[in-house]
Amino acid sequence: MVISAILTLAIAGLAAATARAEAPPISIIDSATPSEELPVKPGVYIGQKITFEDAHSDDITARVGVWEAGESKTYLENYPWTEYVLMISGHVVITNEDGTENSFRAGDTFVIPKGFSGIWDVREHMKKQMVQIGDPDARPISRPVTD
């Protein structure tokens, strides 16, 4: 009886495993991953390349890629994703609404929470690896900051 139950469970598990969808290939993102230029104001370079995207329920998607920008200062309002960042190169200072400043350089990691508002000050051309979680069609609300 016990052996019969174990065999039934094993067969059911094997059937479930073979019915799963095939997983996508491993996505490689490193400092050599090129970005594709995005249209912005003249004289400022911003590029991005999404190398992996995995849809989940309720219009939630995890996206992985690189993003880079030339020296610029931008106010972001109500950032639409939770984003994990690994700085590849450059220097950025992020200032929260309460005035708290955080400085990040190559090798640093941090998370920008969904709903973040503050200033993104690229002080040296930067490139980051990123994992964004949220609505893939959302766009950040941003405007240039002039000193």
Side-chain angles (χ1 to χ4, degrees):
M1 181 78 148
V2 172
I3 293 176
S4 174
I6 291 172
L7 284 173
T8 301
L9 287 174
I11 290 169
L14 181 60
T18 56
R20 288 187 193 125
E22 194 171 312
I26 291 175
S27 180
I28 306 297
I29 304 101
D30 59 22
S31 60
T33 302
S35 63
E36 297 168 354
E37 189 167 0
L38 300 174
V40 292
K41 67 181 181 178
V44 175
Y45 178 84
I46 294 188
Q48 176 173 290
K49 172 83 173 176
I50 301 299
T51 60
F52 177 82
E53 191 166 281
D54 188 21
H56 294 270
S57 63
D58 298 327
D59 296 327
I60 299 298
T61 297
R63 300 183 336 159
V64 179
V66 295
W67 183 91
E68 65 181 301
E71 291 181 15
S72 58
K73 197 171 191 178
T74 305
Y75 177 78
L76 298 174
E77 182 180 340
N78 195 22
Y79 200 66
W81 309 288
T82 296
E83 180 175 295
Y84 169 81
V85 174
L86 166 62
M87 290 287 292
I88 296 171
S89 63
H91 180 208
V92 65
V93 175
I94 300 173
T95 306
N96 297 335
E97 290 273 52
D98 67 5
T100 304
E101 284 189 0
N102 293 282
S103 180
F104 302 103
R105 296 180 181 275
D108 291 339
T109 60
F110 57 96
V111 173
I112 303 170
K114 181 178 179 181
F116 166 83
S117 292
I119 297 173
W120 186 272
D121 183 3
V122 180
R123 296 191 177 171
E124 177 185 326
H125 186 105
M126 62 155 289
K127 187 172 187 179
K128 67 180 181 178
Q129 290 179 355
M130 62 186 183
V131 177
Q132 294 176 332
I133 301 168
D135 179 352
D137 297 324
R139 294 293 169 258
I141 300 166
S142 64
R143 65 180 180 272
V145 173
T146 54
D147 293 321

